[in-house]
Amino acid sequence: MWYYEKKLEYPVKVSTCNPTLAKYLIEQYGGADGELAAALRYLNQRYTIPDKVIGLLTDIGTEEFAHLEMIATMIYKLTKDATPEMMKQAGLDPHYVNHDSALFYHNAAGAPWTATYIQAKGDPIADLYEDIAAEEKARATYQWIINLSDDPDLNDGLKYLREREVVHSQRFREAVEILKEERDKKIFF
Amino acid sequence: MHTLRKYYHPYISPFDPCPPIKVKGYETPPNLYMGFQPPSLPQFEPKKALAYGTLWPALYSPYPSPPVRKEVNE
């Protein structure tokens, strides 16, 4: 089970009215390497991974939901006061037609989130390598969004999220090292 | 030489509906340990290499793992 704390993991501030940024940020909300995909991937894989690394997947999967909440807050702030005309200028008119200013799990190109974005192979090494790859892809996505954004306050939050991808990748690599260690040899012959 | 298969004891609940599998295993193929392949490694003779799919014993990863390592499940 989970406990909920009614606050964000890191403060989200958006200083410029630029709904176009929401169009980019939605990639990290409902995209293939977004926070939703990450959370669901890790929290699902943990059932069939050796006990030593279950806790890591629980912790990181949970933190991904905290990141999802930050991204949602950014998108919400950028679109809640946008008029239909502003949404149109931001290239968000298809989103507006479908959802008004509601958030939805789709990527920057409008493709809805799908479980085919994630995998649970059951082989611990294969699953952890997928997780490492996902973290690196999410890091790259944050870099490209930061490159497109000229809002320093928004970028501050994005830089924090990018740094967390770096740390998560490192932890998954350590998990691989744990699974590579020779142990429990004595009980076999 | 590293083992190509590792084993662990998963948590077993007293309320599990099915008889527990007490030991589970997973593959750790040799490429996990090699890093950048060093030069001049020993090679299989050509016919064996063709059959195995690799020139180098250091990268040979038989599957399922050789039956010499029998799993003890108690």
Side-chain angles (χ1 to χ4, degrees):
Chain A
M1 68 174 287
W2 278 266
Y3 288 100
Y4 184 75
E5 279 196 56
K6 194 174 159 54
K7 58 186 176 191
L8 295 175
E9 186 187 355
Y10 186 89
V12 163
K13 197 174 176 197
V14 185
S15 47
T16 48
C17 174
N18 184 1
T20 310
L21 292 175
K23 188 178 163 68
Y24 310 145
L25 287 168
I26 204 88
E27 182 69 27
Q28 289 294 45
Y29 195 64
D33 309 308
E35 304 291 355
L36 178 71
L40 297 180
R41 179 187 294 115
Y42 307 151
L43 293 176
N44 178 253
Q45 284 176 357
R46 67 196 165 128
Y47 291 96
T48 47
I49 208 120
D51 297 39
K52 292 241 170 184
V53 299
I54 292 175
L56 178 73
L57 285 174
T58 306
D59 289 351
I60 296 184
T62 301
E63 185 178 345
E64 303 297 357
F65 276 128
H67 296 172
L68 188 71
E69 214 177 27
M70 287 176 61
I71 296 291
T73 305
M74 292 173 181
I75 296 170
Y76 172 70
K77 282 179 176 238
L78 284 162
T79 54
K80 73 186 178 79
D81 298 314
T83 62
E85 187 55 38
M86 289 162 74
M87 293 290 273
K88 191 175 174 183
Q89 278 170 7
L92 285 165
D93 38 335
H95 181 98
Y96 178 78
V97 168
N98 222 342
H99 308 289
D100 189 4
S101 56
L103 279 72
F104 193 67
Y105 296 115
H106 58 66
N107 67 10
W113 190 89
T114 159
T116 55
Y117 288 157
I118 65 176
Q119 182 54 277
K121 205 76 231 179
D123 178 292
I125 301 296
D127 281 349
L128 284 171
Y129 268 65
E130 154 150 341
D131 300 346
I132 294 166
E135 294 293 336
E136 302 298 351
K137 287 189 278 183
R139 172 184 56 76
T141 307
Y142 277 120
Q143 289 164 192
W144 312 154
I145 296 174
I146 290 168
N147 291 351
L148 283 169
S149 160
D150 53 4
D151 183 327
D153 288 322
L154 183 80
N155 284 356
D156 183 55
L158 294 177
K159 285 169 187 171
Y160 173 86
L161 290 169
R162 178 188 171 278
E163 180 59 37
R164 296 309 297 161
E165 308 294 343
V166 173
V167 175
H168 289 173
S169 174
Q170 173 62 22
R171 296 295 169 255
F172 284 133
R173 287 161 201 262
E174 289 164 0
V176 172
E177 293 306 312
I178 290 171
L179 296 193
K180 279 165 67 177
E181 278 171 23
E182 304 286 348
R183 65 157 62 88
D184 297 339
K185 282 166 98 170
K186 276 163 279 174
I187 58 167
F188 305 104
F189 57 92
Chain B
M1 188 65 181
H2 295 283
T3 55
L4 300 182
R5 192 170 168 81
K6 307 286 186 292
Y7 300 88
Y8 66 104
H9 298 261
Y11 171 73
I12 294 163
S13 162
F15 305 111
D16 284 343
C18 303
I21 299 173
K22 291 176 179 168
V23 177
K24 292 191 176 177
Y26 58 93
E27 297 293 307
T28 48
N31 56 308
L32 268 184
Y33 300 95
M34 189 172 283
F36 211 107
Q37 182 175 338
S40 315
L41 287 180
Q43 299 184 356
F44 287 121
E45 47 131 332
K47 268 203 160 176
K48 258 192 174 175
L50 272 175
Y52 287 165
T54 178
L55 251 185
W56 302 279
L59 277 177
Y60 180 49
S61 174
Y63 187 88
S65 299
V68 231
R69 299 175 55 79
K70 198 178 159 195
E71 292 185 29
V72 179
N73 204 8
E74 55 192 30

